[in-house]
Structures are given as structure tokens and as C-alpha cells.
Amino acid sequence: LMAALAGVFVWDGQRIEEEELRRSAQEMKHMENLSSLAQGNSPGEFQPSEWEQPWELIMDKKHFRLWRRPIQGSHLYQYRVFGSYTDVTPRQFFNVQLDTEYRKKWDSLVIKLDVIERDVATGSEVIHWVTHFPYPMYSRDYVYVRRYNVDKENNLMVLVSRAVEHPSVPEDPEYVRVRTYESQMVIRPHKTFDENGFDYLLTYSDNPQTVFPRYCVSWMVSSGMPDFLEKLHSAALKAKKMELEVRDYLAKGP
């Protein structure tokens, strides 16, 4: 409380812990074990575990599949994308996703995207992100903590993000603050981090604070998520082709 009154962000209880990274990696392993998914023979729904809601397949494309499931106690859905790319390296795709400065160039929806604070202990970062929403909705802003991990031993890359409050980023009446947001991206190289080809698993949920019915919000997310992933893929290809300077997050050091 004293820290909050003094305008200081307290990392305890807010940083992304090792257990969250491990859980995301385990989800990827579970998906890989569902061999029927990778072979294109999966049913419309699958049940990851006995105590969870079933996932409903809502989009099946050449390079990815998109599922959703209702979040209990709310009108919202959680979404999951499992896909592959063969023309870009895992390192390029991962770096482009993390580089906030480069994203300002390739993502036309970004109004603001800045690193607010870093945690020396874990490498977690607090990000302030302001983005355009489809007309006639107001732009949204997110304050979230993110942490990534590159597991060279298990050939895996993980990025976990979730919403937090930060005293240096109060609500702006010009934007709608999104207070419920979670995202986990796991990347599995087909070979190495620097050879073309990888699978990825993206699990995502947020509450965009709209008055629209759930089916409208579901349509926006289910159409917007593949569009974002394709823009991310194109940005990685562009960085590779033009040899653009993108920060290498796999390298040691800050």
C-alpha cells in the first residue's frame, strides 16, 4: 500500500514466474502429443484435460487452426491457435514479436508501445500498449507484464504476458483501459533456432470492454488474430529479406 501511494511499482506478485513459463511449455507438449491435430485429422472439438471446458474448432486454414472455449463465469472466450511456418526462422519470428520499436513500423494499429519498467531478477518487462480498435469503438490501452524464455536444451521458446496495474500509467480518458488480458506464445523449431521452420501455439484472452454481444466480440477476435499473425509473419520475412536491424533477444546481455 505504501509503495502504491508513493507511486512505486512492486514486482512481488506481479512478475511472470518460472511456473507460468513451464505451464505454457507443457501445453505445447500436449498439443504435439495430439498427433491427429498435426496430421489434419482432428475432430471439431478436443478436450485437453478432464477438468477443462472443451475447445471448439472455429477456423481451419492451411497454416493454422483456431479454437475457442467459453471462460466460466463470464461472457468471454479464450482462444488458441496452433500453426506452422516454413519460410522464416524461429529466431526471426521471436525477435520481431518482442521488438517494440520494430512493431511500431509494421503494425499500423499501434498508437503507442513502450517498455515502462524492467525487472532485473527475472527479465520481466512492463509494457504500455495503445492500439486502434475498429470504428466506432474507442482505442484501447493495455498495461501488461511480459517475460520470455529460450530453452536451448529442449529446443523451445516461450513468451508469456498478462495485464497489470502500474502507477506511472494511469487511465487516459482518451482510451478504454483493458484490465483483463493474457497471452502465451510457445515456439517449437522444426530443427534449430536459425533454420527455417517451426510450429507455434498461441493462447489468448482479453476483455475488450465493449457493449457488443459476445458473438460480435468473438468475430472480431477470430478474424483479427489470424490477421495479426500474418502481419507478424510478413514483418519477420521483411526483416529477413531486407536485413533490417531487429534486436536479437536470444543473445546474452540486456
Side-chain angles (χ1 to χ4, degrees):
L1 178 60
M2 291 299 294
L5 293 173
V8 177
F9 181 72
V10 179
W11 280 101
D12 289 345
Q14 301 293 343
R15 59 172 60 92
I16 305 291
E17 301 291 353
E18 291 284 344
E19 180 57 30
E20 294 178 70
L21 298 173
R22 276 196 296 269
R23 281 201 304 267
S24 296
Q26 287 168 356
E27 286 293 322
M28 181 59 155
K29 186 176 181 180
H30 182 75
M31 287 291 288
E32 290 170 335
N33 290 338
L34 296 172
S35 58
S36 59
L37 281 176
Q39 296 166 5
N41 298 320
S42 69
E45 294 187 0
F46 69 93
Q47 185 90 7
S49 55
E50 293 179 2
W51 59 88
E52 292 182 330
Q53 289 267 38
W55 292 90
E56 174 194 1
L57 181 66
I58 58 174
M59 192 175 293
D60 191 351
K61 299 291 186 181
K62 181 179 180 181
H63 298 295
F64 71 89
R65 288 184 166 193
L66 172 63
W67 294 266
R68 71 179 183 187
R69 67 178 178 184
I71 298 175
Q72 289 184 330
S74 78
H75 64 287
L76 304 170
Y77 287 106
Q78 185 181 32
Y79 298 87
R80 171 162 285 179
V81 182
F82 184 71
S84 300
Y85 287 116
T86 58
D87 54 357
V88 68
T89 71
R91 182 188 295 265
Q92 290 158 344
F93 190 74
F94 196 63
N95 286 338
V96 166
Q97 197 169 173
L98 286 163
D99 193 320
T100 54
E101 292 305 310
Y102 183 41
R103 180 166 178 178
K104 294 174 185 177
K105 299 175 182 177
W106 62 262
D107 189 350
S108 60
L109 296 179
V110 169
I111 299 172
K112 185 177 181 180
L113 185 63
D114 296 309
V115 178
I116 304 300
E117 190 168 336
R118 289 185 176 89
D119 176 34
V120 178
T122 64
S124 296
E125 298 175 321
V126 176
I127 310 289
H128 183 211
W129 170 38
V130 185
T131 181
H132 290 290
F133 256 53
Y135 180 84
M137 292 187 288
Y138 286 100
S139 298
R140 262 59 178 170
D141 85 323
Y142 297 71
V143 180
Y144 63 93
V145 60
R146 74 176 185 185
R147 181 180 174 186
Y148 66 90
N149 182 57
V150 178
D151 186 345
K152 295 182 179 180
E153 183 179 344
N154 293 303
N155 206 32
L156 208 63
M157 310 156 101
V158 181
L159 171 62
V160 175
S161 305
R162 55 173 160 74
V164 294
E165 298 286 338
H166 197 285
S168 70
V169 193
E171 284 193 61
D172 187 326
E174 190 174 346
Y175 312 122
V176 175
R177 173 64 54 88
V178 176
R179 299 188 178 279
T180 304
Y181 164 70
E182 289 186 0
S183 174
Q184 299 92 35
M185 170 74 85
V186 186
I187 297 172
R188 169 80 74 187
H190 291 165
K191 295 180 181 178
T192 69
F193 295 128
D194 293 303
E195 294 180 81
N196 285 355
F198 60 90
D199 299 328
Y200 68 88
L201 176 66
L202 171 62
T203 307
Y204 176 92
S205 65
D206 78 351
N207 183 356
Q209 303 288 115
T210 71
V211 295
F212 292 102
R214 181 162 73 170
Y215 70 86
C216 291
V217 176
S218 176
W219 175 83
M220 286 189 292
V221 175
S222 60
S223 59
M225 186 183 292
D227 181 58
F228 166 75
L229 288 166
E230 192 49 47
K231 287 196 296 184
L232 177 62
H233 172 233
S234 297
L237 281 175
K238 184 177 179 181
K240 174 185 177 183
K241 183 178 180 181
M242 300 179 68
E243 297 183 350
L244 299 177
E245 286 296 327
V246 178
R247 178 182 167 187
D248 187 4
Y249 287 80
L250 277 71
K252 290 184 178 181

